[in-house]
Coordinates of all heavy atoms in Angstrom, one line a residue:
M1 N 153.8 66.9 157.5 CA 153.6 65.5 157.0 C 152.7 65.5 155.8 O 152.9 64.9 154.8 CB 152.9 64.7 158.1 CG 152.6 63.3 157.7 SD 151.9 62.4 159.1 CE 150.6 61.5 158.3
W2 N 151.6 66.3 155.8 CA 150.7 66.3 154.7 C 151.3 66.9 153.4 O 150.8 66.7 152.3 CB 149.4 67.1 155.0 CG 148.6 66.4 156.1 CD1 148.5 66.7 157.4 CD2 147.8 65.2 155.9 NE1 147.7 65.8 158.0 CE2 147.3 64.8 157.1 CE3 147.5 64.4 154.8 CZ2 146.5 63.8 157.3 CZ3 146.7 63.3 155.0 CH2 146.2 63.0 156.2
S3 N 152.3 67.7 153.6 CA 152.9 68.3 152.4 C 154.1 67.6 151.9 O 154.8 68.1 151.0 CB 153.3 69.8 152.7 OG 154.2 69.8 153.8
S4 N 154.4 66.5 152.5 CA 155.6 65.7 152.0 C 155.5 65.3 150.6 O 154.4 65.1 150.1 CB 155.9 64.5 152.9 OG 155.0 63.5 152.6
K5 N 156.6 65.3 149.9 CA 156.6 64.9 148.5 C 156.1 63.5 148.2 O 155.3 63.3 147.3 CB 158.1 65.1 148.0 CG 158.2 64.9 146.5 CD 159.6 65.2 146.0 CE 159.7 65.1 144.5 NZ 161.1 65.4 144.1
S6 N 156.5 62.6 149.1 CA 156.0 61.2 148.9 C 154.5 61.1 149.1 O 153.8 60.3 148.4 CB 156.8 60.2 149.8 OG 156.5 60.5 151.2
F7 N 154.0 61.8 150.0 CA 152.5 61.8 150.2 C 151.8 62.4 149.0 O 150.8 61.8 148.5 CB 152.1 62.6 151.5 CG 150.7 62.7 151.7 CD1 150.0 61.6 152.3 CD2 149.9 63.8 151.4 CE1 148.6 61.6 152.5 CE2 148.6 63.9 151.6 CZ 147.9 62.8 152.1
R8 N 152.3 63.5 148.5 CA 151.7 64.1 147.3 C 151.7 63.1 146.1 O 150.8 63.0 145.4 CB 152.3 65.4 147.0 CG 151.9 66.5 147.9 CD 152.3 67.9 147.4 NE 153.7 68.0 147.0 CZ 154.7 68.4 147.7 NH1 154.4 68.8 149.0 NH2 155.9 68.5 147.3
S9 N 152.9 62.5 145.9 CA 152.9 61.5 144.8 C 152.1 60.3 145.0 O 151.5 59.8 144.0 CB 154.4 61.2 144.4 OG 155.2 61.0 145.5
S10 N 151.9 59.9 146.2 CA 151.0 58.8 146.5 C 149.6 59.1 146.2 O 148.8 58.4 145.6 CB 151.1 58.3 148.0 OG 152.3 57.8 148.3
V11 N 149.2 60.3 146.6 CA 147.8 60.8 146.3 C 147.6 60.9 144.8 O 146.6 60.5 144.2 CB 147.5 62.1 147.0 CG1 146.2 62.7 146.5 CG2 147.5 61.9 148.5
A12 N 148.6 61.5 144.1 CA 148.5 61.6 142.7 C 148.4 60.3 142.0 O 147.6 60.1 141.0 CB 149.8 62.4 142.1
A13 N 149.1 59.3 142.5 CA 149.0 57.9 141.9 C 147.6 57.3 142.1 O 147.0 56.7 141.2 CB 150.1 57.0 142.5
I14 N 147.1 57.5 143.3 CA 145.7 57.0 143.6 C 144.7 57.7 142.7 O 143.8 57.1 142.2 CB 145.4 57.2 145.1 CG1 146.3 56.3 145.9 CG2 143.9 57.0 145.4 CD1 146.2 56.6 147.4
L15 N 144.8 59.0 142.6 CA 143.8 59.7 141.7 C 144.0 59.3 140.2 O 143.0 59.2 139.5 CB 144.0 61.3 141.9 CG 143.7 61.8 143.2 CD1 144.1 63.3 143.3 CD2 142.2 61.6 143.5
A16 N 145.2 59.1 139.8 CA 145.4 58.6 138.4 C 144.8 57.3 138.2 O 144.1 57.0 137.2 CB 146.9 58.6 138.1
D17 N 144.9 56.4 139.2 CA 144.3 55.0 139.1 C 142.8 55.2 139.0 O 142.1 54.5 138.3 CB 144.7 54.2 140.3 CG 146.2 53.7 140.1 OD1 146.7 53.7 139.0 OD2 146.7 53.2 141.1
A18 N 142.2 56.0 139.9 CA 140.8 56.2 139.9 C 140.3 56.8 138.6 O 139.2 56.3 138.1 CB 140.4 57.1 141.1
K19 N 141.0 57.7 138.0 CA 140.6 58.3 136.8 C 140.6 57.2 135.6 O 139.7 57.1 134.8 CB 141.5 59.4 136.4 CG 141.1 60.2 135.2 CD 142.0 61.4 134.9 CE 141.5 62.2 133.7 NZ 142.4 63.3 133.5
R20 N 141.7 56.4 135.6 CA 141.8 55.3 134.7 C 140.7 54.3 134.8 O 140.1 53.8 133.9 CB 143.2 54.6 134.8 CG 144.0 54.6 133.6 CD 145.3 53.8 133.7 NE 145.8 53.4 135.0 CZ 146.7 54.1 135.7 NH1 147.2 55.2 135.2 NH2 147.1 53.7 136.9
A21 N 140.3 54.0 136.1 CA 139.3 53.0 136.4 C 137.9 53.5 135.9 O 137.1 52.7 135.6 CB 139.3 52.7 137.8
S22 N 137.7 54.8 135.9 CA 136.4 55.3 135.5 C 136.2 55.4 134.0 O 135.1 55.5 133.5 CB 136.2 56.7 136.1 OG 137.1 57.6 135.5
K23 N 137.3 55.3 133.2 CA 137.2 55.3 131.8 C 136.8 53.9 131.3 O 137.3 52.9 131.7 CB 138.5 55.6 131.1 CG 138.9 57.1 131.2 CD 140.2 57.3 130.5 CE 140.7 58.7 130.6 NZ 141.9 58.9 129.9
P24 N 135.8 53.8 130.3 CA 135.5 52.5 129.8 C 136.7 52.0 129.0 O 137.4 52.7 128.3 CB 134.3 52.8 128.9 CG 134.4 54.3 128.6 CD 135.1 54.9 129.7
V25 N 136.9 50.7 129.1 CA 138.0 50.0 128.4 C 137.5 49.5 127.1 O 136.4 48.9 127.1 CB 138.6 48.9 129.2 CG1 139.7 48.1 128.5 CG2 139.1 49.4 130.6
R26 N 138.2 49.8 126.0 CA 137.8 49.3 124.7 C 139.0 48.5 124.1 O 140.1 49.0 124.2 CB 137.4 50.5 123.8 CG 136.2 51.2 124.3 CD 135.8 52.3 123.3 NE 134.7 53.0 123.9 CZ 134.0 53.9 123.3 NH1 134.3 54.2 122.1 NH2 133.0 54.5 123.9
L27 N 138.6 47.4 123.6 CA 139.6 46.5 123.0 C 139.2 46.4 121.5 O 138.1 46.3 121.2 CB 139.7 45.2 123.6 CG 140.0 45.1 125.1 CD1 139.9 43.7 125.6 CD2 141.4 45.7 125.4
S28 N 140.3 46.3 120.7 CA 140.0 46.1 119.2 C 139.5 44.6 119.1 O 139.7 43.8 120.0 CB 141.3 46.3 118.4 OG 142.2 45.2 118.7
P29 N 138.9 44.3 118.0 CA 138.4 43.0 117.8 C 139.6 42.0 117.8 O 139.4 40.9 118.4 CB 137.8 43.0 116.4 CG 137.3 44.4 116.2 CD 138.4 45.2 116.9
R30 N 140.8 42.3 117.3 CA 141.9 41.4 117.4 C 142.4 41.3 118.8 O 142.8 40.2 119.2 CB 143.0 42.0 116.4 CG 144.0 40.9 116.1 CD 143.4 39.7 115.7 NE 144.1 39.1 114.6 CZ 143.7 38.0 113.9 NH1 142.6 37.4 114.3 NH2 144.4 37.5 112.9
Q31 N 142.4 42.3 119.6 CA 142.8 42.2 121.0 C 141.9 41.3 121.7 O 142.3 40.5 122.5 CB 142.9 43.6 121.6 CG 144.0 44.4 121.2 CD 143.9 45.9 121.7 OE1 142.8 46.4 121.9 NE2 145.1 46.5 121.8
Q32 N 140.6 41.4 121.4 CA 139.6 40.5 122.0 C 139.9 39.0 121.6 O 139.8 38.1 122.4 CB 138.2 40.9 121.6 CG 137.7 42.2 122.2 CD 136.4 42.6 121.7 OE1 135.6 41.9 121.1 NE2 136.0 43.9 121.9
D33 N 140.2 38.8 120.3 CA 140.5 37.4 119.9 C 141.7 36.9 120.6 O 141.7 35.7 121.1 CB 140.9 37.4 118.4 CG 139.7 37.7 117.5 OD1 138.5 37.6 117.9 OD2 139.9 38.0 116.3
V34 N 142.7 37.7 120.8 CA 143.9 37.2 121.5 C 143.6 36.9 122.9 O 144.1 35.9 123.5 CB 145.1 38.3 121.3 CG1 146.2 38.0 122.2 CG2 145.5 38.3 119.9
L35 N 142.8 37.8 123.5 CA 142.5 37.6 124.9 C 141.6 36.4 125.1 O 141.8 35.6 126.1 CB 141.8 38.9 125.5 CG 141.6 39.0 127.0 CD1 143.0 38.9 127.7 CD2 140.9 40.3 127.3
R36 N 140.7 36.1 124.2 CA 139.9 34.9 124.3 C 140.8 33.6 124.2 O 140.6 32.7 124.9 CB 138.9 34.9 123.2 CG 137.7 35.8 123.4 CD 136.7 35.6 122.3 NE 135.7 36.7 122.3 CZ 135.7 37.7 121.4 NH1 136.5 37.7 120.4 NH2 134.8 38.7 121.5
C37 N 141.8 33.7 123.4 CA 142.7 32.6 123.3 C 143.5 32.4 124.6 O 143.7 31.3 125.1 CB 143.7 32.8 122.1 SG 143.0 32.6 120.5
A38 N 143.9 33.5 125.2 CA 144.6 33.4 126.5 C 143.6 32.9 127.5 O 144.1 32.1 128.4 CB 145.1 34.8 126.9
A39 N 142.4 33.2 127.4 CA 141.4 32.7 128.4 C 141.3 31.1 128.3 O 140.9 30.5 129.2 CB 140.0 33.3 128.1
E40 N 141.5 30.6 127.1 CA 141.5 29.2 126.9 C 142.8 28.5 127.4 O 142.9 27.3 127.4 CB 141.4 28.8 125.4 CG 140.0 29.2 124.8 CD 139.9 28.8 123.3 OE1 140.6 27.9 122.9 OE2 139.1 29.5 122.7
G41 N 143.7 29.3 127.8 CA 145.0 28.8 128.3 C 146.1 28.6 127.3 O 147.1 28.0 127.5
L42 N 145.9 29.2 126.1 CA 146.9 29.0 125.0 C 148.1 29.9 125.3 O 148.0 31.0 125.8 CB 146.3 29.4 123.7 CG 145.1 28.6 123.2 CD1 144.6 29.1 121.8 CD2 145.5 27.1 123.1
T43 N 149.2 29.4 124.9 CA 150.5 30.1 125.0 C 150.5 31.2 123.9 O 149.7 31.1 122.9 CB 151.7 29.2 124.9 OG1 151.7 28.6 123.6 CG2 151.7 28.1 126.0
V44 N 151.5 32.1 124.0 CA 151.6 33.1 122.9 C 151.9 32.4 121.6 O 151.3 32.8 120.5 CB 152.7 34.1 123.3 CG1 153.0 35.1 122.1 CG2 152.4 34.9 124.5
D45 N 152.7 31.4 121.6 CA 153.0 30.7 120.3 C 151.7 30.0 119.7 O 151.5 30.1 118.5 CB 154.0 29.6 120.5 CG 155.4 30.2 120.8 OD1 155.7 31.2 120.2 OD2 156.2 29.6 121.6
R46 N 150.9 29.4 120.6 CA 149.6 28.8 120.1 C 148.6 29.8 119.7 O 147.9 29.6 118.7 CB 149.0 27.9 121.2 CG 149.9 26.8 121.6 CD 149.8 25.7 120.6 NE 150.6 24.6 121.1 CZ 150.8 23.5 120.4 NH1 150.3 23.3 119.2 NH2 151.6 22.5 120.9
I47 N 148.6 31.0 120.4 CA 147.7 32.0 119.9 C 148.1 32.5 118.6 O 147.2 32.7 117.7 CB 147.7 33.2 121.0 CG1 147.2 32.8 122.3 CG2 147.0 34.4 120.4 CD1 147.4 33.8 123.4
A48 N 149.4 32.7 118.3 CA 149.9 33.2 117.0 C 149.5 32.1 116.0 O 149.0 32.5 114.9 CB 151.4 33.4 117.1
D49 N 149.7 30.9 116.2 CA 149.3 29.8 115.3 C 147.8 29.8 115.0 O 147.4 29.8 113.8 CB 149.7 28.4 115.8 CG 151.2 28.2 115.8 OD1 151.9 28.9 115.1 OD2 151.6 27.2 116.5
R50 N 147.0 29.9 116.0 CA 145.6 29.9 115.8 C 145.1 31.1 115.0 O 144.2 30.9 114.1 CB 144.8 29.8 117.1 CG 143.3 29.8 116.8 CD 142.5 29.7 118.0 NE 142.5 28.4 118.6 CZ 141.9 28.0 119.7 NH1 141.1 28.9 120.3 NH2 142.0 26.8 120.2
L51 N 145.6 32.2 115.3 CA 145.1 33.4 114.6 C 145.9 33.8 113.4 O 145.7 34.8 112.7 CB 145.2 34.6 115.6 CG 144.3 34.4 116.8 CD1 144.4 35.6 117.8 CD2 142.8 34.2 116.5
T52 N 146.9 32.9 113.0 CA 147.8 33.2 111.9 C 148.4 34.6 111.9 O 148.3 35.3 110.9 CB 147.1 32.9 110.5 OG1 146.0 33.7 110.3 CG2 146.7 31.4 110.4
I53 N 149.0 34.9 113.0 CA 149.8 36.1 113.2 C 151.1 35.7 113.7 O 151.3 34.6 114.2 CB 149.1 37.1 114.1 CG1 148.8 36.5 115.5 CG2 147.8 37.6 113.5 CD1 148.2 37.4 116.5
S54 N 152.1 36.6 113.7 CA 153.4 36.3 114.3 C 153.3 36.3 115.8 O 152.4 36.8 116.4 CB 154.4 37.4 113.8 OG 154.2 38.6 114.6
R55 N 154.3 35.6 116.4 CA 154.4 35.5 117.8 C 154.5 36.9 118.4 O 153.9 37.3 119.4 CB 155.6 34.6 118.2 CG 155.7 34.5 119.7 CD 157.0 33.8 120.1 NE 157.0 33.4 121.5 CZ 157.0 34.2 122.6 NH1 157.0 35.5 122.4 NH2 157.0 33.7 123.8
N56 N 155.4 37.7 117.7 CA 155.6 39.1 118.2 C 154.3 39.9 118.2 O 154.0 40.7 119.1 CB 156.6 39.8 117.3 CG 157.0 41.2 117.9 OD1 157.4 41.3 119.0 ND2 156.9 42.2 117.0
T57 N 153.5 39.7 117.2 CA 152.2 40.4 117.1 C 151.2 40.0 118.2 O 150.6 40.8 118.9 CB 151.5 40.2 115.7 OG1 152.4 40.8 114.7 CG2 150.2 40.9 115.6
A58 N 151.2 38.7 118.5 CA 150.3 38.2 119.5 C 150.8 38.7 120.9 O 150.0 39.2 121.7 CB 150.4 36.7 119.6
D59 N 152.1 38.7 121.1 CA 152.7 39.3 122.3 C 152.4 40.8 122.5 O 152.0 41.2 123.6 CB 154.2 39.0 122.4 CG 154.7 39.2 123.8 OD1 154.1 38.7 124.8 OD2 155.8 39.9 123.9
T60 N 152.5 41.5 121.4 CA 152.2 42.9 121.4 C 150.7 43.2 121.8 O 150.4 44.1 122.5 CB 152.5 43.6 120.1 OG1 154.0 43.4 119.8 CG2 152.2 45.0 120.0
H61 N 149.8 42.4 121.2 CA 148.4 42.6 121.5 C 148.1 42.3 123.0 O 147.4 43.1 123.6 CB 147.5 41.6 120.6 CG 147.3 42.1 119.2 ND1 146.9 43.3 118.9 CD2 147.5 41.4 118.1 CE1 146.8 43.4 117.6 NE2 147.1 42.3 117.1
L62 N 148.7 41.2 123.5 CA 148.6 40.9 124.9 C 149.1 42.0 125.8 O 148.5 42.4 126.8 CB 149.2 39.6 125.3 CG 148.4 38.4 124.8 CD1 149.2 37.1 125.0 CD2 147.1 38.3 125.6
R63 N 150.3 42.6 125.5 CA 150.9 43.6 126.2 C 150.0 44.9 126.2 O 149.7 45.5 127.3 CB 152.2 44.0 125.7 CG 153.0 45.0 126.6 CD 154.4 45.3 126.1 NE 155.1 44.1 125.4 CZ 155.4 44.1 124.1 NH1 155.1 45.1 123.3 NH2 156.0 43.0 123.6
S64 N 149.4 45.2 125.1 CA 148.5 46.3 124.9 C 147.2 46.1 125.8 O 146.8 47.0 126.4 CB 148.1 46.5 123.5 OG 147.3 47.6 123.3
V65 N 146.7 44.9 125.8 CA 145.5 44.6 126.6 C 145.8 44.8 128.0 O 145.0 45.4 128.8 CB 145.0 43.1 126.3 CG1 144.0 42.7 127.3 CG2 144.4 43.0 124.9
R66 N 147.0 44.3 128.5 CA 147.3 44.4 129.9 C 147.4 45.9 130.3 O 147.0 46.3 131.3 CB 148.7 43.7 130.2 CG 148.5 42.2 130.2 CD 149.8 41.5 130.7 NE 151.0 41.9 130.1 CZ 151.6 41.3 129.0 NH1 151.0 40.2 128.5 NH2 152.7 41.8 128.6
E67 N 148.0 46.7 129.4 CA 148.2 48.1 129.7 C 146.8 48.8 129.8 O 146.5 49.6 130.7 CB 149.0 48.8 128.6 CG 150.5 48.5 128.7 CD 151.3 49.0 127.5 OE1 150.7 49.8 126.7 OE2 152.5 48.6 127.4
R68 N 145.9 48.5 128.8 CA 144.6 49.1 128.8 C 143.8 48.7 130.0 O 143.0 49.5 130.6 CB 143.8 48.7 127.6 CG 144.3 49.4 126.3 CD 143.5 49.0 125.1 NE 144.1 49.6 123.9 CZ 143.4 49.9 122.8 NH1 142.2 49.5 122.7 NH2 144.0 50.4 121.8
L69 N 144.0 47.4 130.5 CA 143.2 47.0 131.7 C 143.9 47.3 133.0 O 143.3 47.2 134.1 CB 143.0 45.5 131.6 CG 142.1 45.0 130.5 CD1 142.1 43.4 130.4 CD2 140.7 45.5 130.6
G70 N 145.2 47.8 132.9 CA 145.9 48.2 134.1 C 146.3 47.0 135.0 O 146.2 47.1 136.2
V71 N 146.7 45.9 134.3 CA 147.1 44.7 135.0 C 148.5 44.3 134.6 O 149.0 44.8 133.6 CB 146.1 43.5 134.8 CG1 144.7 43.9 135.3 CG2 146.1 43.2 133.3
T72 N 149.1 43.4 135.3 CA 150.5 43.0 135.0 C 150.7 41.7 134.4 O 151.8 41.3 134.0 CB 151.3 43.1 136.3 OG1 150.8 42.2 137.3 CG2 151.4 44.5 136.9
N73 N 149.6 40.8 134.4 CA 149.8 39.5 133.8 C 148.6 39.1 133.0 O 147.5 39.7 133.2 CB 150.3 38.5 134.8 CG 149.2 38.3 135.9 OD1 148.1 37.9 135.6 ND2 149.6 38.6 137.1
N74 N 148.7 38.1 132.2 CA 147.6 37.6 131.4 C 146.4 37.0 132.1 O 145.3 37.2 131.8 CB 148.1 36.6 130.3 CG 149.0 37.3 129.3 OD1 149.1 38.5 129.1 ND2 149.8 36.5 128.7
V75 N 146.7 36.3 133.2 CA 145.7 35.7 134.0 C 144.8 36.9 134.6 O 143.6 36.8 134.5 CB 146.3 34.9 135.2 CG1 145.2 34.4 136.1 CG2 147.0 33.7 134.6
H76 N 145.4 37.9 135.1 CA 144.6 39.0 135.7 C 143.9 39.7 134.5 O 142.7 40.1 134.7 CB 145.6 40.0 136.4 CG 144.9 41.0 137.2 ND1 145.5 42.0 137.9 CD2 143.6 41.2 137.5 CE1 144.7 42.7 138.5 NE2 143.5 42.3 138.3
A77 N 144.5 39.8 133.4 CA 143.8 40.4 132.2 C 142.5 39.7 131.8 O 141.5 40.3 131.6 CB 144.8 40.5 131.0
V78 N 142.6 38.4 131.8 CA 141.5 37.5 131.5 C 140.4 37.7 132.5 O 139.2 37.9 132.2 CB 141.9 36.0 131.3 CG1 140.7 35.1 131.3 CG2 142.8 35.8 130.1
A79 N 140.8 37.6 133.8 CA 139.8 37.8 134.9 C 139.1 39.1 134.8 O 137.9 39.2 134.9 CB 140.5 37.6 136.2
K80 N 139.9 40.2 134.6 CA 139.3 41.5 134.6 C 138.4 41.7 133.3 O 137.3 42.3 133.4 CB 140.4 42.6 134.6 CG 139.9 44.0 134.8 CD 141.0 44.9 135.2 CE 140.4 46.3 135.5 NZ 141.5 47.2 135.9
A81 N 138.8 41.1 132.2 CA 138.0 41.2 131.0 C 136.7 40.5 131.1 O 135.7 41.0 130.7 CB 138.8 40.6 129.8
F82 N 136.7 39.3 131.8 CA 135.4 38.7 132.1 C 134.5 39.5 133.0 O 133.3 39.7 132.7 CB 135.6 37.3 132.8 CG 135.9 36.2 131.8 CD1 137.1 35.5 131.9 CD2 134.9 35.8 130.9 CE1 137.3 34.4 131.0 CE2 135.2 34.8 130.0 CZ 136.3 34.1 130.1
R83 N 135.1 40.1 134.0 CA 134.4 40.9 135.0 C 133.8 42.2 134.3 O 132.7 42.6 134.6 CB 135.3 41.3 136.1 CG 134.6 41.8 137.3 CD 135.5 42.0 138.6 NE 136.7 42.8 138.3 CZ 138.0 42.3 138.3 NH1 138.2 41.1 138.5 NH2 139.0 43.1 138.1
L84 N 134.5 42.8 133.4 CA 134.1 44.0 132.7 C 133.1 43.6 131.5 O 132.6 44.6 130.8 CB 135.2 44.8 132.2 CG 136.1 45.4 133.3 CD1 137.4 46.0 132.7 CD2 135.4 46.4 134.1
G85 N 133.0 42.4 131.2 CA 132.1 42.0 130.1 C 132.8 42.2 128.7 O 132.1 42.2 127.7
L86 N 134.1 42.3 128.7 CA 134.8 42.4 127.4 C 134.9 41.1 126.6 O 135.1 41.2 125.4 CB 136.2 43.0 127.7 CG 136.2 44.4 128.3 CD1 137.7 44.8 128.7 CD2 135.6 45.4 127.4
I87 N 134.9 40.0 127.3 CA 134.9 38.7 126.7 C 133.9 37.9 127.5 O 133.6 38.2 128.7 CB 136.3 38.0 126.7 CG1 136.9 37.8 128.1 CG2 137.2 38.8 125.7 CD1 138.2 37.0 128.1
S88 N 133.4 36.8 126.9 CA 132.4 36.0 127.6 C 132.8 34.5 127.3 O 133.6 34.2 126.4 CB 131.0 36.3 127.2 OG 130.9 36.1 125.8
Y89 N 132.1 33.7 128.0 CA 132.3 32.2 127.9 C 130.9 31.6 127.7 O 130.0 32.0 128.5 CB 133.0 31.7 129.1 CG 133.4 30.2 128.9 CD1 134.5 29.8 128.2 CD2 132.5 29.2 129.3 CE1 134.8 28.5 128.0 CE2 132.8 27.9 129.1 CZ 134.0 27.5 128.5 OH 134.3 26.2 128.3
P90 N 130.6 30.7 126.8 CA 131.6 30.2 125.8 C 131.7 31.2 124.7 O 130.9 32.1 124.5 CB 130.9 28.9 125.3 CG 129.5 29.2 125.6 CD 129.4 30.1 126.8
H91 N 132.8 31.0 124.0 CA 133.1 32.0 122.9 C 133.7 31.2 121.7 O 134.1 30.0 121.9 CB 134.1 33.0 123.3 CG 135.3 32.4 123.9 ND1 135.4 32.2 125.3 CD2 136.5 32.0 123.4 CE1 136.6 31.6 125.5 NE2 137.3 31.5 124.4
A92 N 133.6 31.8 120.6 CA 134.1 31.1 119.4 C 135.0 32.1 118.7 O 134.7 33.3 118.6 CB 133.0 30.6 118.5
I93 N 136.1 31.7 118.1 CA 136.9 32.5 117.3 C 136.7 32.2 115.8 O 136.7 31.0 115.5 CB 138.4 32.3 117.6 CG1 138.6 32.4 119.1 CG2 139.3 33.1 116.8 CD1 139.5 33.5 119.5
A94 N 136.4 33.1 115.1 CA 136.1 32.9 113.7 C 137.3 32.5 112.9 O 138.4 32.7 113.2 CB 135.5 34.2 113.0

């Protein structure tokens, strides 16, 4: 049982998650801007308009933020970013 392939891959996945969790997360200033906009509840289109970037660029930044934070959606990304102190409230976008 302990040597089963599925058990070993489960343990490997848990260890990889723990290793990722121990690394400090760093976001670029632009990723922080996009995430702050998402925290305000703006859609990708509105984020792009506010930051004068393309919709594709805004979406790419959000996808990258989700990957770095190890989450699957923007709501979770915002919550985790607040918890980690990566963004704060109130905030202002220059």
Side-chain angles (χ1 to χ4, degrees):
M1 178 176 143
W2 292 104
S3 62
S4 76
K5 188 175 181 179
S6 64
F7 177 78
R8 285 193 310 265
S9 38
S10 294
V11 170
I14 290 168
L15 292 174
D17 285 345
K19 186 176 182 180
R20 241 190 334 268
S22 66
K23 287 184 180 178
V25 177
R26 294 184 185 188
L27 301 178
S28 72
R30 197 48 140 184
Q31 289 170 331
Q32 291 174 14
D33 291 342
V34 170
L35 193 55
R36 285 185 194 106
C37 288
E40 291 180 27
L42 297 181
T43 64
V44 174
D45 290 327
R46 297 284 182 184
I47 293 170
D49 288 344
R50 178 178 289 181
L51 300 178
T52 59
I53 57 178
S54 74
R55 182 190 194 291
N56 186 54
T57 299
D59 193 47
T60 299
H61 283 309
L62 283 170
R63 188 176 326 110
S64 179
V65 166
R66 289 191 306 268
E67 288 174 9
R68 287 182 184 202
L69 294 174
V71 299
T72 57
N73 63 61
N74 293 340
V75 173
H76 194 183
V78 167
K80 191 165 185 179
F82 274 121
R83 196 169 55 249
L84 295 174
L86 299 173
I87 58 174
S88 60
Y89 186 85
H91 54 270
I93 306 243

